Amino acid sequence: MYPVNELFPNETNHFMKRKVKYGLAFSGGGARGIAHLGVLQALEENNIRPVVVSGTSMGAMVAVSYALGIPSRETLEFIKEEVRPMAITNMDLNRMGIFNLNKVEKFLRERVEKDDFSALKIPVYITVTNLNTGKFEIRSEGKLIEYVMASASIPLLFNPMVIDGTYYVDGGVTKNLSAEILKGKCDKIIGIHVNHIAQLSDFRRMKDVAVRTYHLAINNTIAEEKRFCDYFIDPPATRNFSTLDFDKADEIYDLGYKEGLKLAKKLLADEASEKRFWKMLFGR
């Protein structure tokens, strides 16, 4: 019998030295999606950088910002200063929405050399809902900025985006997490969900019922997607924040950062364990 490392000498070095390639799937969640930025910050501090990302709604904005090389803190500051739906400067009353995403568009146009997915440093997949067909679509090429805005256009709050004659709204309506699309494009898929569902015992206002119903409906769109995740984080504390809690951006960011540190610790531990396995197998 020959030792494994003599039978497969090239594989020995390959498995011992290769870096795990991670893909991140960011869910939507309005202001709660700011937590994604905190997770990214924690991962980067531990030298863990995804090679591909997908995003829905706020997750789409975070994904594209990251793929453009914009630091998490810079995106956070922009959100704190400009992405406040209730601000009078973001209001745009018409028949299909109350607010606009003009400042998000300006933020991206100032940082994108070419309004196309090809301008990104890593592949990005954005989920949108086609209002005409009633089905989700995942975009990874073509008009970058318009699809980011479409993915974040929460129905009734924001105007739908009309792209090439088709109406698009928030991707979370039909698929609030897109993990399957990352299959085969990385070694491990990490799903980050920021709409934790927990049992509630009391509903006092019409708003409570409406928000709960919306969250439950969206949550049902991720059941299948979770199966494709090697890691899945769903911080319970996100339920303490609402979709429009942009004035609590720092708290939400810190929540994500703490979750990101725990995730990084788990990823690094698993990587070390895997290397020990191959070392034992190949005898080096």
Side-chain angles (χ1 to χ4, degrees), residues 6 57 78 122 147 152 158 169 175 213 225 248 266 269:
E6 292 183 14
S57 198
F78 162 71
I122 61 173
Y147 281 115
F158 298 101
V169 295
K175 188 179 286 291
T213 302
E225 294 297 314
K248 299 178 181 178
K266 171 64 175 171

Side-chain angles (χ1 to χ4, degrees), residues 27-275:
S27 78
R32 292 186 297 275
I34 296 169
H36 296 316
L37 293 169
V39 172
L40 280 172
Q41 180 70 39
L43 293 180
E44 288 204 323
E45 289 177 3
N46 284 276
N47 199 32
I48 299 171
R49 296 177 175 82
V51 298
V52 60
V53 292
S54 68
T56 300
S57 198
M58 177 60 82
M61 181 178 172
V62 172
V64 168
S65 294
Y66 177 79
L68 284 170
I70 303 173
S72 294
R73 282 285 180 184
E74 182 179 333
T75 303
L76 172 66
E77 290 306 312
F78 162 71
I79 291 173
K80 287 167 58 177
E81 294 174 10
E82 303 291 355
V83 186
R84 294 171 296 153
M86 299 310 291
I88 192 68
T89 55
N90 288 331
M91 294 192 74
D92 186 16
L93 292 171
N94 66 36
R95 293 180 301 169
M96 292 187 288
I98 302 173
F99 308 104
N100 62 57
L101 291 168
N102 292 345
K103 291 182 178 178
V104 172
E105 179 180 12
K106 182 174 182 291
F107 173 79
L108 293 174
R109 290 199 183 281
E110 289 175 346
R111 292 162 176 80
V112 177
E113 293 183 5
K114 179 183 179 183
D115 184 13
D116 191 272
F117 280 82
S118 62
L120 303 176
K121 300 178 186 301
I122 61 173
V124 172
Y125 296 83
I126 291 176
T127 306
V128 294
T129 296
N130 184 320
L131 203 57
N132 295 86
T133 65
K135 298 179 180 180
F136 76 86
E137 296 178 3
I138 298 179
R139 297 286 177 166
S140 60
E141 57 184 26
K143 302 174 182 178
L144 174 66
I145 295 175
E146 289 186 1
Y147 281 115
V148 172
M149 295 170 65
S151 185
S153 296
I154 300 173
L156 302 183
L157 284 181
F158 298 101
N159 306 321
M161 283 295 299
V162 182
I163 305 174
D164 297 329
T166 300
Y167 286 76
Y168 290 97
V169 295
D170 189 348
V173 173
T174 47
K175 188 179 286 291
N176 202 37
L177 185 79
S178 294
E180 182 180 8
I181 191 67
L182 303 181
K183 189 176 179 181
K185 300 176 176 65
C186 55
D187 300 319
K188 303 286 185 179
I189 298 173
I190 302 169
I192 305 175
H193 185 243
V194 294
N195 304 282
H196 187 78
I197 298 295
Q199 182 173 328
L200 297 180
S201 58
D202 190 27
F203 301 93
R204 298 180 180 276
R205 299 168 297 174
M206 185 186 300
K207 176 186 175 184
D208 297 335
V209 176
V211 170
R212 178 66 166 180
T213 302
Y214 183 67
H215 286 170
L216 291 175
I218 285 180
N219 191 61
N220 286 332
T221 72
I222 73 163
E224 287 296 311
E225 294 297 314
K226 290 169 64 175
R227 297 190 301 108
F228 297 98
C229 297
D230 298 284
Y231 299 89
F232 185 76
I233 63 175
D234 185 19
T238 57
R239 68 176 183 266
N240 297 328
F241 302 95
S242 76
T243 302
L244 298 178
D245 271 346
F246 289 94
D247 59 329
K248 299 178 181 178
D250 286 322
E251 294 177 54
I252 300 171
Y253 183 93
D254 289 341
L255 184 164
Y257 179 73
K258 291 174 183 177
E259 290 293 329
L261 289 177
K262 290 190 287 186
L263 173 62
K265 184 178 180 180
K266 171 64 175 171
L267 297 179
L268 294 175
D270 286 353
E271 286 183 24
S273 178
E274 186 173 325
K275 287 182 179 179

